């Protein structure tokens, strides 16, 4: 593919094939992603594309675009050098004090190989498009160079002025441009290469009681591996022996190393900093977190942002329009001046100056670099559309538990009206049957006091309110004051006052009782993340409103919101009510990004304009959000917003340059104010400039 119109043409043909529900062709990434309604042979798709004059082959895992572009750049550089060696003396002859037919014939002989041989890639591409009844950038270059050379050969026999140097310069400058473009696109595609390079190349596996070094790709699930200080963890797994500190920053974006002990999970490609440990491999190859991140980033790069649709529509008709303008220019100049050489020269300038390449590169190169930069910060965008939505986000809504707080609740206090051990045994046994963090904290708190928990029957959970069940023949109720009231239990003023005190301190208080009365109040505490305050401050400083949703009561929510300087919050929101809360904001004209754990929050993540799912572990690919934050650090929400906005800003700059370039240059060429040589140089520069602007994202830092 040589321009955006190529990609769009292939995309339309693929989308029309039977069983194909959608197709997206990425010009910069050289790939097509096809979604099928039913199984279809790849040969059918290949054949359909070959009829257009293009080649298509099934992709392999991580095809190494960087290697492809390096090879392409070397080939274009060699071709340019050879073409330039022949063109340079012709330019000297044409512009120096050399006159006469002999000098012109020397020019013809030297430029012939440049146009015919070193420019053959353009002619072959144009011929393939012509056979398919279409046109592309190759068509413009081929017509322009052949027209300049052909006219000059004809002028040799008539004694008219020749411009062989123009034909050679067109080919040479565009070959040079393609060299720079291939090199720049290779740099833009290195996001995948860098991610893949994070993985370990070798691993020490225990076999028959001794260590054996094997290539990392030969690790199997269940292998027992030894990891020493300074080594990368070879694959995902669980620690069997030893304790250590691991640097997970390259995957999660968190700079502070984390402690890991036996039973803890470790992620492949992270760096073991201190102790030696033994681990069991639990996931290898495509199932690892690193591979899933790579696939998600590749998937984002293979999608199109809505902003690209305008460029696609222009590219679809661009080449025919340019050819028509060139024809009108040539005819008009000839009728006006009678100078055929001038008419041909100006028509060739119009053909050459046009550059749909820049339009095709504007969006995908920015997405390629932006997605790689986001991944380096621990943020994974799942689609190009998610980038574009970031620019209009004006409110970020946080789920409290597990996002602003650590989600690891502990039992902070228990105030029974009777025997403490009996109270904790009954309530702890009931809560042990719950999967809610409050339930787990209560059960663990009871066990920490050496209390034996009892079996539970008839357990029932009402999300956001409480739980009931039968323990030791007694029906126990635990939950909010409203829930106990609905169950017919009375709460004393003393217990209510104790609960209020804990809630004002930012703890979550709830009641438990049986036989018609509340028998005590309990409080659990969930520690705020150390980065929660700076995360909220960074978002507020960037002009974004921040809101918190929580199932906690209003007093607890108010205490936490006050500590974090969050002015807007909603308390006592049940899980199924969060989506409605976000929808209400959207109805007011607000563009909402929601940050949640991606499990219970799946509906609200889908409802939000941008769903940011906190995802760790091998389930990362299944998260419901359009953006995945690879750690629980809420600062990643600000990082996602900043990288997304910077990427969209770059796309707009690219499109402005690409459109502005053509709008300005084509009329100048038609007016005879641009020589074909300058047009060729400017056209080559336009594509390189767009890719170069996208590459600036590689240096983008979140502040």
């Amino acid at each position: 593919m040589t321009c955006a119109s190529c990609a769009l043409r292939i995309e339309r043909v693929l989308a029309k094939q039977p069983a194909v529900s959608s197709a997206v062709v990425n010009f910069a990434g050289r790939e097509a992603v096809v979604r099928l309604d039913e199984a279809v042979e790849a040969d059918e798709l290949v054949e359909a594309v070959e009829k257009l004059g293009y080649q298509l082959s099934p992709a392999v895992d991580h095809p190494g675009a960087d290697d492809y572009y390096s090879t392409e750049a070397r080939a274009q550089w060699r071709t340019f050098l050879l073409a330039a060696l022949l063109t340079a003396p012709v330019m000297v002859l044409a512009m120096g004090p050399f006159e006469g037919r002999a000098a012109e014939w020397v020019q013809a002989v030297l430029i012939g190989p440049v146009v015919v041989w070193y420019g053959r890639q353009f002619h072959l591409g144009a011929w393939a498009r012509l056979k398919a009844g279409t046109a592309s950038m190759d068509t413009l270059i081929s017509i322009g160079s052949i027209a300049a050379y052909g006219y000059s050969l004809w002028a040799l026999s008539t004694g008219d002025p020749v411009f062989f140097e123009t034909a050679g310069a067109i080919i040479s400058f565009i070959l040079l441009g393609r060299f720079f473009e291939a090199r720049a696109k290779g740099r833009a595609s290195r996001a995948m290469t860098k991610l893949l390079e994070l993985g370990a190349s070798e691993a020490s596996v225990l076999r028959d009681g001794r260590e054996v070094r094997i290539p990392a790709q030969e690790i199997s699930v269940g292998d027992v591996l030894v990891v020493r200080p300074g080594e990368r963890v070879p694959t995902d797994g669980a620690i069997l022996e030893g304790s250590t500190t691991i640097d997970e920053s390259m995957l999660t974006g968190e700079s502070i190393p984390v402690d890991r002990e036996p039973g803890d999970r470790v992620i492949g490609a992270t760096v073991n900093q201190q102790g030696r440990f033994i681990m069991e491999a639990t996931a290898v190859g495509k199932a690892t977190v690193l591979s899933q991140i790579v696939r998600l980033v590749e998937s984002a790069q293979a999608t199109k942002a809505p902003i690209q649709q305008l460029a696609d529509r222009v590219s679809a008709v661009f080449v025919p329009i340019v050819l028509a303008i060139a024809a009108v220019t040539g005819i008009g100049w000839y009728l006006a001046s009678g100078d055929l050489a001038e008419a041909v020269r100006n028509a060739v300038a119009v053909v050459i100056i046009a550059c749909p390449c820049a339009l095709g590169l504007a969006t995908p190169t920015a997405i390629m670099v932006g997605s790689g930069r986001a991944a380096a910060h621990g943020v994974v965008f799942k689609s190009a559309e998610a980038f574009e939505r970031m620019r209009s986000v004006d409110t970020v809504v946080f789920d409290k538990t597990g996002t602003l707080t650590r989600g690891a609740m502990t039992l902070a206090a228990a105030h029974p009206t009777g025997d403490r051990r009996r109270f904790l045994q009954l309530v702890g046994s009931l809560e042990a049957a719950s999967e809610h963090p409050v339930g787990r904290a209560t059960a663990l708190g009871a066990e920490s006091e050496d209390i034996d928990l009892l079996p539970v029957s008839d357990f029932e959970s009402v999300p956001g309110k409480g739980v009931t069940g039968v323990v030791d023949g007694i029906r126990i109720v635990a939950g909010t004051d409203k829930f106990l009231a609905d169950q017919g239990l009375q709460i004393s003023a003393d217990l209510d006052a104790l609960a209020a005190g804990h809630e004002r301190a930012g703890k979550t208080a709830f009641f438990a009782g049986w036989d018609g009365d509340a028998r005590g109040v309990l409080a659990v505490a969930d520690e705020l993340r150390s980065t929660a305050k700076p995360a909220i401050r960074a978002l507020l400083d960037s002009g974004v409103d921040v809101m918190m949703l929580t199932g906690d009561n209003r007093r607890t929510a108010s205490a936490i919101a006050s500590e974090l300087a969050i002015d807007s919050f909603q308390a006592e929101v049940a899980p199924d009510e969060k989506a409605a809360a976000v929808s209400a904001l959207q109805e007011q004209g607000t563009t909402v990004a929601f940050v949640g754990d991606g499990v219970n929050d799946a509906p609200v993540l889908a409802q939000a304009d941008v769903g940011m799912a906190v995802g760790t572990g091998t389930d990362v690919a299944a998260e419901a959000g359009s953006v995945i934050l690879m750690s629980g650090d809420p600062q990643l929400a600000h990082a996602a917003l900043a990288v997304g906005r910077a990427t969209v800003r770059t796309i707009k700059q690219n499109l402005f340059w690409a459109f502005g370039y053509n709008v300005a240059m084509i009329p100048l060429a038609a007016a005879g104010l641009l020589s074909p040589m300058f047009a060729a140089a400017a056209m080559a520069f336009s594509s390189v400039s767009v890719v170069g602007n996208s590459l600036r994202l590689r240096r983008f830092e979140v502040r």
Side-chain angles (χ1 to χ4, degrees):
M1 299 183 294
T2 57
C3 63
S5 60
C6 297
L8 190 61
R9 195 172 297 116
I10 296 170
E11 188 175 285
R12 288 176 173 174
V13 167
L14 287 173
K16 291 178 181 178
Q17 301 307 303
V20 174
S21 60
S22 67
V24 176
V25 177
N26 182 350
F27 170 50
R30 307 179 301 108
E31 68 177 6
V33 176
V34 180
R35 299 191 183 278
L36 305 173
D37 292 326
E38 58 187 65
V40 65
E41 292 294 331
D43 291 345
E44 297 179 25
L45 303 179
V46 171
E47 183 180 354
V49 171
E50 286 181 344
K51 288 180 180 178
L52 287 176
Y54 302 91
Q55 293 181 335
L56 180 73
S57 60
V60 296
D61 286 340
H62 316 311
D66 189 19
D67 293 339
Y68 169 84
Y69 285 125
S70 295
T71 302
E72 173 72 7
R74 287 193 297 271
Q76 296 291 4
W77 178 249
R78 286 194 300 268
T79 307
F80 160 71
L81 285 179
L82 294 171
L85 285 173
L86 294 176
T87 302
V90 171
M91 297 186 73
V92 172
L93 289 172
M95 298 178 183
F98 305 100
E99 297 180 358
R101 288 294 146 186
E104 292 176 350
W105 275 107
V106 171
Q107 294 177 43
V109 171
L110 291 175
I111 292 301
V114 175
V115 173
V116 176
W117 183 250
Y118 297 123
R120 67 188 184 282
Q121 58 182 283
F122 309 116
H123 309 316
L124 292 174
W127 176 246
R129 305 296 95 77
L130 180 62
K131 289 192 296 183
T134 62
S136 71
M137 192 62 219
D138 282 341
T139 306
L140 300 180
I141 299 169
S142 179
I143 289 175
S145 59
I146 290 174
Y149 187 70
Y151 169 80
S152 297
L153 286 177
W154 176 79
L156 272 177
S157 63
T158 62
D160 291 328
V162 299
F163 44 96
F164 289 110
E165 77 284 357
T166 296
I170 289 171
I171 297 297
S172 298
F173 279 130
I174 293 173
L175 286 172
L176 180 61
R178 289 203 170 176
F179 158 70
F180 284 121
E181 183 181 318
R183 191 171 69 168
K185 285 197 286 189
R187 292 171 63 192
S189 70
R190 284 176 193 165
M192 291 301 92
T193 304
K194 287 187 175 181
L195 283 176
L196 290 170
E197 287 174 351
L198 292 176
S201 58
E202 290 187 325
S204 295
V205 59
L206 286 178
R207 289 180 179 168
D208 299 326
R210 59 191 184 88
E211 292 185 28
V212 179
R213 295 291 289 182
I214 63 171
Q217 60 266 29
E218 294 181 9
I219 299 173
S220 301
V221 173
D223 279 348
V224 177
L225 310 169
V226 178
V227 185
R228 294 179 175 79
E231 293 183 339
R232 290 191 182 275
V233 178
T235 191
D236 296 359
I239 295 179
L240 300 176
E241 298 178 21
S243 300
T244 188
T245 301
I246 294 181
D247 178 3
E248 298 183 346
S249 60
M250 67 285 295
L251 291 181
T252 65
E254 289 194 5
S255 58
I256 300 175
V258 293
D259 296 329
R260 292 289 182 257
E261 299 176 344
D264 287 344
R265 198 173 130 277
V266 289
I267 304 173
T270 56
V271 180
N272 181 28
Q273 288 197 323
Q274 293 183 350
R276 172 184 181 273
F277 66 88
I278 298 174
M279 62 173 284
E280 179 183 0
T282 58
V284 298
K286 295 180 180 180
T288 63
V289 171
L290 178 62
S291 292
Q292 291 183 31
I293 293 173
V294 169
R295 284 201 302 275
L296 286 172
V297 176
E298 287 178 333
S299 176
Q301 293 179 351
T303 59
K304 285 189 177 181
I307 198 172
Q308 192 176 345
Q309 293 175 357
L310 176 60
D312 284 347
R313 288 196 294 269
V314 172
S315 297
V317 297
F318 192 82
V319 173
I321 289 176
V322 167
L323 291 175
I325 293 174
V328 171
T329 298
I331 294 171
W333 272 95
Y334 182 70
L335 293 177
S337 66
D339 188 339
L340 182 59
E342 187 70 11
V344 171
R345 192 187 304 270
N346 292 335
V348 168
V350 170
V351 169
I352 297 303
I353 196 64
C355 185
C357 298
L359 290 175
L361 292 169
T363 298
T365 53
I367 295 297
M368 288 169 70
V369 181
S371 58
R373 193 64 190 142
H377 281 89
V379 177
V380 178
F381 284 80
K382 295 172 69 174
S383 69
E385 185 178 3
F387 280 98
E388 187 167 348
R389 287 182 177 179
M390 282 295 189
R391 73 175 168 172
S392 57
V393 167
D394 50 28
T395 301
V396 176
V397 179
F398 284 91
D399 176 48
K400 177 181 74 71
T401 304
T403 305
L404 295 173
T405 65
R406 294 190 175 278
M409 291 186 171
T410 57
L411 183 62
H415 305 282
T417 57
D419 180 76
R420 176 182 176 86
R421 291 185 64 82
R422 180 60 172 169
F423 175 78
L424 285 177
Q425 183 182 48
L426 293 175
V427 179
S429 299
L430 172 67
E431 294 286 13
S434 171
E435 292 297 322
H436 195 279
V438 171
R440 291 196 297 270
T442 305
L444 290 172
E447 290 178 334
S448 69
E449 297 189 21
D450 295 326
I451 296 174
D452 294 329
L453 301 183
L454 305 173
V456 181
S457 61
D458 298 330
F459 177 82
E460 182 180 353
S461 174
V462 180
K465 295 182 178 180
V467 293
T468 66
V470 177
V471 180
D472 200 19
I474 303 172
R475 183 175 179 272
I476 311 297
V477 180
T480 65
D481 53 353
K482 294 179 181 179
F483 184 65
L484 264 70
D486 292 341
Q487 298 293 321
L489 277 71
Q490 300 294 320
I491 300 174
S492 68
D494 290 341
L495 290 179
D496 194 52
L498 285 169
H502 285 302
E503 289 166 355
R504 284 192 294 270
K507 299 182 179 68
T508 299
F510 66 99
F511 302 90
W514 54 87
D515 295 338
D517 289 310
R519 306 288 177 162
V521 62
L522 303 96
V524 295
D526 187 6
E527 182 183 358
L528 280 174
R529 292 185 181 272
S530 60
T531 55
K533 286 184 180 179
I536 300 303
R537 173 50 52 197
L539 287 169
L540 293 173
D541 288 345
S542 66
V544 175
D545 293 330
V546 178
M547 181 179 179
M548 182 182 73
L549 294 181
T550 178
D552 268 342
N553 60 75
R554 185 168 186 82
R555 282 191 293 258
T556 300
S558 178
I560 292 174
S562 177
E563 185 173 355
L564 294 175
I566 297 176
D567 294 331
S568 178
F569 68 90
Q570 290 186 27
E572 301 177 10
V573 181
D576 58 351
E577 296 173 344
K578 291 180 181 178
V582 168
S583 178
L585 289 173
Q586 292 170 324
E587 289 175 0
Q588 299 170 14
T590 300
T591 303
V592 180
F594 180 84
V595 186
D597 62 16
V599 181
N600 294 328
D601 294 325
V604 64
L605 284 166
Q607 175 65 43
D609 297 282
V610 178
M612 299 188 192
V614 176
T616 55
T618 55
D619 292 331
V620 61
E623 294 290 356
S626 53
V627 176
I628 294 173
L629 311 181
M630 288 304 300
S631 75
D633 186 352
Q635 290 186 116
L636 292 187
H638 171 59
L641 196 66
V643 175
R645 288 179 169 180
T647 301
V648 173
R649 187 164 56 248
T650 300
I651 291 172
K652 287 184 174 181
Q653 292 168 352
N654 288 347
L655 288 174
F656 176 81
W657 165 252
F659 279 119
Y661 165 86
N662 284 297
V663 168
M665 293 297 186
I666 291 178
L668 290 177
L673 300 177
L674 290 179
S675 71
M677 281 190 293
F678 179 84
M683 194 217 74
F685 172 74
S686 67
S687 296
V688 176
S689 65
V690 164
V691 180
N693 189 49
S694 297
L695 285 172
R696 293 190 306 114
L697 285 169
R698 296 174 66 188
R699 299 189 297 273
F700 177 78
E701 294 295 337
V702 177
R703 295 182 174 84

